[in-house]
C-alpha cells in the first residue's frame, strides 16, 4: 500500500483573496533550460501568475515542499533528479496539479507521466499560449469543483455509491472508509462516472468532464488515468471492479 498522502490544498494566496486584493496563482516552473525558464516566466508573469523557477528536480522538490504552489509544470530530462522521479515524489506527498512537459517524439514519456499521476502533458516544442491555456484550464477545473462543492456542502450531501464516497469540499475520495488520494483529473473522472452509475461514458465525454470542452487530449490519456484510478482503489481493495471498460465504447460505473 502506498504511503498515505496529504490531500492537496492550494496555498492561501491561490485560494483566498483578501478583500480588495487580487492574489495570483503560484506556478512552479521546472526546466534545466534557462532560456525556456526565463521566457516562460516572463510570459506567465505578464498573464498575472506568480512564478517560482527551478533548474533541477532536487531544488524543485525542496522549493515546492517549503513554498507551496498552485500548480507545477515539470520537464522530463533534468539533472540531479529527472521529471519522472520528481513527479513520483510529489505524488507521494500531495495531489498538487501537475502539467508534464515531454519531447515531441517520446510517447513513452507521455504515458509514463500520466501513469505516475500527471494531470496533463504538453509536447516540446510548445506554444506558450497553449501552456497558459492548459494552466488556466486545470486551475478552472479545480476551482469549479470547489465552487460546486460549496453548494453541495450547504445541504450536507455528498456523492455516495455503495462503498464510494466523494466529498468535493475536501477533495476527498473514500472507498469503504479508506482514503483514496486522487489528482484533480482523476477525481473529476470518478465523479463523472459515479454521478450516472450504469450509464456508459465515452472517452470524449470523459475528456469534456475532466478537461473542458475546448481542450484536446488523446483518447489514450483517459485510458491511462483510468488505469491509475483502478490501481489506487485496488491498493485498498484488491477486488475493486466498479469501473468497467466497454471496449470500443467507453467506461461506466457499475450500478450496485
Amino acid at each position: 500500500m502506498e504511503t498515505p498522502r496529504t490531500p492537496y490544498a492550494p496555498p492561501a494566496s491561490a485560494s483566498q483573496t483578501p478583500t480588495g486584493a487580487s492574489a495570483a496563482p503560484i506556478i512552479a516552473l521546472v526546466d534545466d533550460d534557462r532560456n525556456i525558464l526565463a521566457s516562460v516566466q516572463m510570459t506567465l508573469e505578464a498573464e498575472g501568475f506568480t512564478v517560482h523557477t527551478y533548474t533541477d528536480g532536487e531544488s524543485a522538490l525542496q522549493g515546492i515542499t517549503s513554498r507551496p504552489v498552485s500548480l507545477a509544470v515539470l520537464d522530463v530530462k533534468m539533472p540531479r533528479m529527472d521529471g519522472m522521479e520528481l513527479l513520483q515524489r510529489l505524488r507521494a506527498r500531495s495531489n498538487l496539479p501537475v502539467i508534464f512537459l515531454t519531447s515531441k517524439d517520446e510517447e513513452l514519456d507521455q504515458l509514463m507521466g500520466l501513469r505516475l499521476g500527471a494531470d496533463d502533458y504538453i509536447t516540446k516544442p510548445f506554444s506558450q499560449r497553449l501552456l497558459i491555456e492548459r494552466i488556466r484550464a486545470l486551475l478552472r477545473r479545480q476551482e469549479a469543483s470547489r465552487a460546486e462543492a460549496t453548494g453541495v456542502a450547504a445541504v450536507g450531501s455528498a456523492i455516495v455509491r455503495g462503498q464510494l464516497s466523494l466529498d468535493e469540499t475536501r477533495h476527498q475520495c473514500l472507498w469503504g472508509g479508506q482514503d483514496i488520494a486522487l489528482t484533480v483529473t482523476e477525481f473529476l473522472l470518478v465523479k463523472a462516472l459515479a454521478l450516472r452509475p450504469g450509464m456508459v461514458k465515452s472517452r470524449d465525454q470523459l475528456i469534456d468532464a475532466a478537461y473542458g470542452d475546448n481542450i484536446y487530449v488523446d483518447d489514450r490519456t483517459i485510458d491511462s488515468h483510468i488505469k491509475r484510478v483502478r490501481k489506487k482503489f485496488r491498493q485498498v481493495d484488491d477486488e475493486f471492479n466498479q469501473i468497467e471498460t466497454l471496449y470500443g465504447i467507453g467506461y461506466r460505473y457499475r450500478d450496485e
Side-chain angles (χ1 to χ4, degrees):
M1 185 180 297
E2 287 185 334
T3 302
R5 283 178 272 187
T6 302
Y8 171 69
S13 59
S15 60
Q16 298 175 2
T17 304
T19 303
S22 179
I26 305 171
I27 308 300
L29 182 61
V30 191
D31 198 308
D32 64 333
D33 188 323
R34 294 180 183 275
N35 291 327
I36 290 178
L37 281 182
S39 176
V40 176
Q41 179 181 14
M42 184 181 301
T43 300
L44 290 176
E45 289 178 344
E47 292 289 325
F49 296 102
T50 297
V51 182
H52 299 168
T53 61
Y54 305 95
T55 56
D56 64 83
E58 285 189 6
S59 63
L61 181 62
Q62 294 172 4
I64 294 171
T65 300
S66 61
R67 297 193 299 168
V69 297
S70 310
L71 180 147
V73 179
L74 312 180
D75 188 27
V76 177
K77 292 177 172 59
M78 295 183 294
R80 300 176 65 192
M81 182 191 298
D82 65 18
M84 294 289 188
E85 184 177 352
L86 175 57
L87 179 59
Q88 284 183 297
R89 296 199 180 193
L90 288 173
R91 281 290 167 259
R93 289 165 166 78
S94 77
N95 295 312
L96 170 72
V98 170
I99 295 176
F100 213 58
L101 297 178
T102 72
S103 297
K104 184 174 183 180
D105 297 325
E106 292 172 336
E107 181 181 23
L108 178 61
D109 286 346
Q110 299 168 14
L111 296 177
M112 282 298 297
L114 292 170
R115 288 170 184 166
L116 291 173
D119 291 285
D120 200 354
Y121 69 87
I122 295 177
T123 56
K124 288 184 174 182
F126 60 90
S127 157
Q128 292 193 23
R129 177 53 52 188
L130 174 62
L131 176 60
I132 291 168
E133 289 177 357
R134 291 295 181 89
I135 289 172
R136 291 196 185 282
L138 183 49
L139 292 175
R140 280 198 304 269
R141 282 151 51 195
Q142 185 180 53
E143 188 58 35
S145 178
R146 188 179 300 116
E148 183 176 339
T150 301
V152 172
V155 296
S157 63
I159 301 173
V160 178
R161 297 286 182 265
Q163 296 188 72
L164 176 70
S165 176
L166 296 174
D167 184 337
E168 295 181 282
T169 306
R170 297 179 178 85
H171 187 80
Q172 184 180 56
C173 174
L174 299 177
W175 179 260
Q178 297 188 69
D179 184 68
I180 309 294
L182 300 178
T183 68
V184 175
T185 303
E186 292 165 355
F187 191 94
L188 291 172
L189 288 173
V190 173
K191 173 189 168 185
L193 291 167
L195 277 174
R196 298 289 183 270
M199 294 185 63
V200 179
K201 290 281 187 178
S202 69
R203 288 171 177 80
D204 286 342
Q205 289 174 316
L206 291 174
I207 288 171
D208 289 345
Y211 287 88
D213 295 337
N214 298 317
I215 298 296
Y216 170 77
V217 296
D218 192 278
D219 286 354
R220 289 171 295 180
T221 300
I222 295 298
D223 296 338
S224 293
H225 284 309
I226 293 294
K227 287 179 182 177
R228 183 168 172 81
V229 166
R230 284 175 173 151
K231 179 180 178 181
K232 289 182 176 183
F233 276 90
R234 287 170 182 163
Q235 286 172 336
V236 301
D237 179 358
D238 57 12
E239 295 184 356
F240 175 83
N241 63 354
Q242 292 305 113
I243 298 177
E244 297 181 317
T245 302
L246 284 84
Y247 293 98
I249 304 175
Y251 296 93
R252 70 180 171 197
Y253 192 87
R254 289 181 58 198
D255 192 0
E256 296 184 278

